[in-house]
Amino acid sequence: MEQNAIDSIWTAQHRTTYYGIRLWPRSSHKSCRSCNLENTVALCLIKEEKAIIVSSASVLFYNRLYSIKSKDDFSNIFNGWRVEFDDDLPIMAGAISHSDSLIYMQPVPRMSNYELCLGVLHSNLLDLSWLSVGSPISELLLRLGFDIEIVQKLISKCNRFYFIHPASVNTHWKDSTEYCHNHLNSNPSFSMIICTTKNNKIQSVEFCNFGDYNLRDDESVKSFIENYWLIG
């Protein structure tokens, strides 16, 4: 590994740059980046107690809760939650529990599914598999393909994990790597997942759009949801 190598990414929308010590790939050489097909991770940086991980892995960005077809489906999925709909443009829906809030938007009014765009989870009321609150962050990292050495380093040094979809990244290596040609098929309505952890357990999960709430405390998204939906 190139010891303490500094690397960075910057967003396609707002050209915000994020940098840190590169943990993965072990080399900046193009051929090494191409071999990341095996572990679904294009880049992993550490900065202070934060891990910045660029990945399009399905365990992160594919779940039936991310795209909901109809209003009736909201009632079935969020049984016992407060569910509200805003049919003015842009068409939106909100699902709120005592500790969790999810906001959906309908990209094509009255013709497309409701797509998750913002959310904060503090409980395990919803099954998000390895992303569920209370699950070991180490299990999620292993599912992404990190070896045990990297996983141990991440959980010992970091308590906030920023998982970023590569479609949101505008960096010199993105278009030239085999990884990105094979992993840009999906383009979710949210582009970043933030997990806070304690003692290897996921404490909270936040969904947001890269550039809008980038690397701020999760209260920024929580406050937006509370103000918009008048929660409380």
Side-chain angles (χ1 to χ4, degrees):
M1 180 185 293
E2 299 170 27
Q3 294 297 320
N4 297 324
I6 302 297
D7 209 334
S8 63
I9 59 170
W10 52 290
T11 67
Q13 299 99 323
H14 294 265
R15 299 192 177 186
T16 304
T17 301
Y18 303 97
Y19 63 91
I21 296 173
R22 187 178 65 245
L23 201 60
W24 180 266
R26 290 184 168 88
S27 171
S28 59
H29 192 272
K30 177 182 174 181
S31 62
C32 184
R33 293 194 184 278
S34 297
C35 76
N36 294 346
L37 286 166
E38 295 182 1
N39 80 345
T40 76
V41 174
L43 186 66
C44 176
L45 308 176
I46 289 182
K47 182 181 180 183
E48 297 172 347
E49 296 180 340
K50 303 179 179 71
I52 302 166
I53 298 171
V54 179
S55 175
S56 61
S58 59
V59 69
L60 295 171
F61 289 100
Y62 177 79
N63 188 287
R64 69 183 185 90
L65 295 173
Y66 297 168
S67 182
I68 298 179
K69 186 175 182 179
S70 68
K71 292 183 177 180
D72 289 338
D73 290 334
F74 273 91
S75 300
N76 295 329
I77 294 171
F78 297 105
N79 185 28
W81 291 49
R82 177 177 137 207
V83 178
E84 296 186 4
F85 298 95
D86 183 350
D87 291 329
D88 293 331
L89 296 179
I91 294 177
M92 302 179 75
I96 300 101
S97 74
H98 66 282
S99 58
D100 308 320
S101 305
L102 297 172
I103 302 297
Y104 293 78
M105 187 174 295
Q106 201 173 48
V108 182
R110 300 173 182 85
M111 295 180 64
S112 61
N113 289 2
Y114 289 88
E115 306 291 343
L116 179 64
C117 58
L118 287 172
V120 179
L121 303 178
H122 292 281
S123 79
N124 59 359
L125 292 175
L126 299 176
D127 182 10
L128 291 174
S129 188
W130 287 275
L131 260 179
S132 298
V133 172
S135 297
I137 190 68
S138 58
E139 293 297 323
L140 174 59
L141 297 171
L142 289 170
R143 291 286 300 180
L144 294 179
F146 287 118
D147 61 42
I148 191 66
E149 178 185 355
I150 291 180
V151 170
Q152 289 176 344
K153 184 172 292 187
L154 285 169
I155 63 177
S156 67
K157 291 180 176 294
C158 302
N159 55 32
R160 291 177 71 84
F161 293 80
Y162 300 83
F163 300 100
I164 299 167
H165 195 280
S168 300
V169 177
N170 190 353
T171 304
H172 62 87
W173 48 260
K174 189 176 80 168
D175 295 331
S176 63
T177 62
E178 187 180 358
Y179 172 89
C180 288
H181 287 307
N182 285 273
H183 289 265
L184 286 177
N185 296 325
S186 62
N187 191 3
S189 54
F190 60 91
S191 49
M192 181 160 62
I193 301 169
I194 303 173
C195 294
T196 60
T197 64
K198 184 178 180 180
N199 298 328
N200 192 32
K201 299 289 187 181
I202 297 175
Q203 300 291 299
S204 68
V205 181
E206 174 188 341
F207 304 93
C208 59
N209 284 299
F210 202 55
D212 293 336
Y213 300 99
N214 47 61
L215 302 196
R216 298 177 189 170
D217 188 87
D218 63 353
E219 288 296 317
S220 60
V221 173
K222 184 174 183 292
S223 297
F224 170 85
I225 293 172
E226 289 181 343
N227 291 332
Y228 187 86
W229 291 95
L230 302 177
I231 297 172

